[in-house]
Amino acid sequence: MLARLTPLAAAAVLLAGCAAPGLSSGPANLAPATFAQLPPANPGAATMTAAFVDSAQLQRVVDDVLANNRDLRGAAARLKQAEALADAAGARRLPSVGAGASASRQRAPNDLGQFNNFNSYGVNATASWEVDLWGRVSATAQAAGYDAESAALDRDAAQLSLAGTALNLQAQLIGLGHRLALAKETLVVQNQLLDLVKARVGAGRGTALDQARAEALVAQTSASVPALRNAACLVRLQLDVLRGQPPADCDKADSDPLPAMPEPKLISLGTLPDPAALLAQRPDVKAAAVRAQAAASRAHVAWAARWPTLGLTGQIGWSAGSTGNLFKSATQIHSIAAALNWQFLDFGARKAEETAARAGFDAAVAAAEQAQLTALQDAQGSLSTLRETELQATQQATAAEATTRARDLALKRYEAGVTDFYVLLSAEQDRLAAQDALIQVQTSRATALLAVHKAFAARLTASSKP
């Protein structure tokens, strides 16, 4: 029997001379030599403001998201599924062994034509193995392994993205809280101005126009409060969803004190990785590259499916008319066989499947290169945004301080009767606008720094450092 296997195996080896068609090259490295528009360095400045980052409030938000987010649970489940499929595909490269037992009773004629009852008992073990002539089985296992690896990277990318989004939303919520606090504090001051105007009008030293302007200013500031409350509510709802919680009551006050706004100081990011190193550490970029490897393996599987398969099977067992005679040498049966199968006429079906798999590889390569470009865009854009918001925050702090001084001077001059109320009104409006703009740019500065951390795949927790 072994001698008969040799011609079959030899024929298969001769067919193996057909080399698999080469695929196009994998994803190109699109990283430039350096990043442009780096933020101004200030080694003496803190790398991240303690008010926004080093707080138990933010740490709790990140921990809640990583522990309870439903998308992360789904990513973990998909990873577990991909790992199990990879184990199954790897196991198919090895022989499969099975065992069986049978018992039967039948009535049939003997050699003399007489009908009798016959018993039959048997036990057997079988083994089968596909000789991986063209690497189809190995390529299938490789593709499944790459799927598991990309699923793990997708989970890491999801963790990074969700942590960054949560911190970004929390920073926005803190900024909105300060804007709301500013509006309420300003209302106190503006109501005091209104009382002052009313007193002057009652004393005959003011006009009804001044009082109307003061009332309009109070009303305008009061109108901004509901809008800020609603904006904070919408952000809070997004955070609840990220943390895997039903939407909470937006009217409930935070139990934590409102963190202070960051000072407008220039931030030193330290030594940033070069673009090539950035691409090497971004999980989404690595996941896209691994998916291209999986597509290459599947293209090989589709190519190998066009060629013959060689399978080996073996069996050993015992068959007897009674259980007492089982396992005796006279009742032993065994066999070994090889089968070469080739569906060479399929009217181009497998060729079309190979073409589709090759196209899938090309698409995966394009997606991997697009992931690189997106990562580079994120990194460069976040650096540029941080650079500009650093400069903007410094200038806006100067403007806010100047408008506060101008309002104080206008108030003194108005109380002294040197100037009219319109000058004081304009100065107060300028002060409120400048202070509100400062809070917004400080919030943008914090979110820009968080975006840099996210773009460079830094560990985004409430105690992260560049």
Side-chain angles (χ1 to χ4, degrees):
M1 181 63 70
L2 292 176
R4 295 178 184 177
L5 290 177
T6 304
L8 296 175
V13 171
L14 289 175
L15 288 172
C18 301
L23 296 173
S24 61
S25 60
N29 188 347
L30 304 179
T34 59
F35 288 111
Q37 293 184 323
L38 293 176
N42 180 5
T47 55
M48 191 171 286
T49 305
F52 265 106
V53 179
D54 294 329
S55 73
Q57 183 183 22
L58 289 182
Q59 184 64 63
R60 186 168 61 252
V61 169
V62 173
D63 291 342
D64 286 347
V65 168
L66 297 183
N68 303 311
N69 183 264
R70 297 303 192 269
D71 289 335
L72 283 183
R73 289 187 185 180
R78 287 188 292 273
L79 172 58
K80 187 176 182 180
Q81 179 186 41
E83 290 175 340
L85 292 174
D87 291 340
R92 293 190 182 98
R93 293 180 295 180
L94 303 174
S96 61
V97 180
S102 64
S104 66
R105 181 178 177 83
Q106 62 180 339
R107 181 175 176 80
N110 58 18
D111 295 339
L112 300 177
Q114 298 173 340
F115 283 83
N116 295 306
N117 296 325
F118 296 93
N119 296 328
S120 177
Y121 302 94
V123 292
N124 69 314
T126 60
S128 62
W129 179 47
E130 179 182 342
V131 181
D132 199 11
L133 296 176
W134 322 105
R136 181 185 64 84
V137 180
S138 297
T140 301
Q142 287 178 348
Y146 288 137
D147 288 341
E149 184 179 351
S150 65
L153 291 168
D154 286 339
R155 178 204 55 191
D156 295 343
Q159 288 178 340
L160 177 67
S161 177
L162 288 170
T165 301
L167 286 176
N168 186 295
L169 290 173
Q170 188 66 24
Q172 293 182 39
L173 189 60
I174 293 173
L176 288 168
H178 278 277
R179 292 181 65 192
L180 185 59
L182 173 65
K184 292 179 178 179
E185 293 171 359
T186 301
L187 276 174
V188 174
V189 175
Q190 291 176 353
N191 277 303
Q192 292 174 348
L193 291 178
L194 178 59
D195 293 339
L196 176 61
V197 171
K198 289 180 178 179
R200 291 175 67 88
V201 170
R205 292 186 295 145
T207 66
L209 178 60
D210 291 343
Q211 181 174 338
R213 286 173 172 172
E215 290 172 348
L217 180 60
V218 170
Q220 288 175 355
T221 304
S222 298
S224 68
V225 172
L228 291 172
R229 278 203 308 261
N230 183 62
C233 176
L234 296 179
V235 173
R236 191 184 302 278
L237 293 177
Q238 293 181 65
L239 275 172
D240 288 338
V241 172
L242 282 181
R243 289 183 288 194
Q245 300 174 356
D249 184 2
C250 289
D251 293 332
K252 183 182 66 174
D254 278 338
S255 58
D256 296 316
L258 191 63
M261 291 301 295
E263 294 294 330
K265 295 179 181 179
L266 299 182
I267 291 176
S268 172
L269 293 174
T271 302
L272 290 173
D274 58 38
L278 164 68
L279 297 181
Q281 68 187 26
R282 285 267 301 221
D284 54 341
V285 174
K286 291 191 289 185
V290 171
R291 278 191 283 271
Q293 291 177 294
S297 296
R298 290 192 171 90
H300 185 90
V301 171
W303 168 82
R306 298 175 56 194
W307 305 106
T309 61
L310 175 62
L312 302 178
T313 59
Q315 178 180 354
I316 185 172
W318 293 263
S319 178
S322 64
T323 57
N325 291 328
L326 282 175
F327 304 109
K328 293 182 179 180
S329 60
T331 63
Q332 186 184 84
I333 58 174
H334 60 268
S335 65
I336 184 170
L340 184 66
N341 296 310
W342 186 14
Q343 295 182 356
F344 57 88
L345 182 60
D346 60 3
F347 302 97
R350 285 177 174 78
K351 176 61 177 176
E353 291 173 354
E354 180 189 353
T355 300
R358 289 170 60 87
F361 169 75
D362 293 337
V365 169
E369 293 179 349
Q370 183 62 39
Q372 291 186 46
L373 294 175
T374 301
L376 293 170
Q377 176 191 0
D378 289 345
Q380 186 64 75
S382 64
L383 289 173
S384 177
T385 301
L386 179 60
R387 176 177 179 271
E388 298 305 324
T389 52
E390 286 283 358
L391 300 175
Q392 184 183 5
T394 301
Q395 296 301 318
Q396 190 62 48
T398 302
E401 183 182 357
T403 55
T404 299
R405 293 199 311 269
R407 193 285 309 268
D408 293 342
L409 290 173
L411 177 59
K412 292 179 180 178
R413 292 173 63 85
Y414 176 73
E415 291 176 336
V418 178
T419 187
D420 60 18
F421 183 71
Y422 181 76
V423 175
L424 175 59
L425 179 68
S426 298
E428 173 59 19
Q429 289 175 324
D430 291 343
R431 183 195 71 84
L432 175 60
Q435 291 287 348
D436 188 72
L438 176 60
I439 294 174
Q440 293 184 61
V441 74
Q442 287 172 335
T443 304
S444 298
R445 172 181 173 273
T447 57
L449 183 55
L450 293 171
V452 171
H453 278 250
K454 180 180 176 182
F456 283 85
R459 183 173 178 267
L460 280 169
T461 66
S463 59
S464 61
K465 293 290 187 292

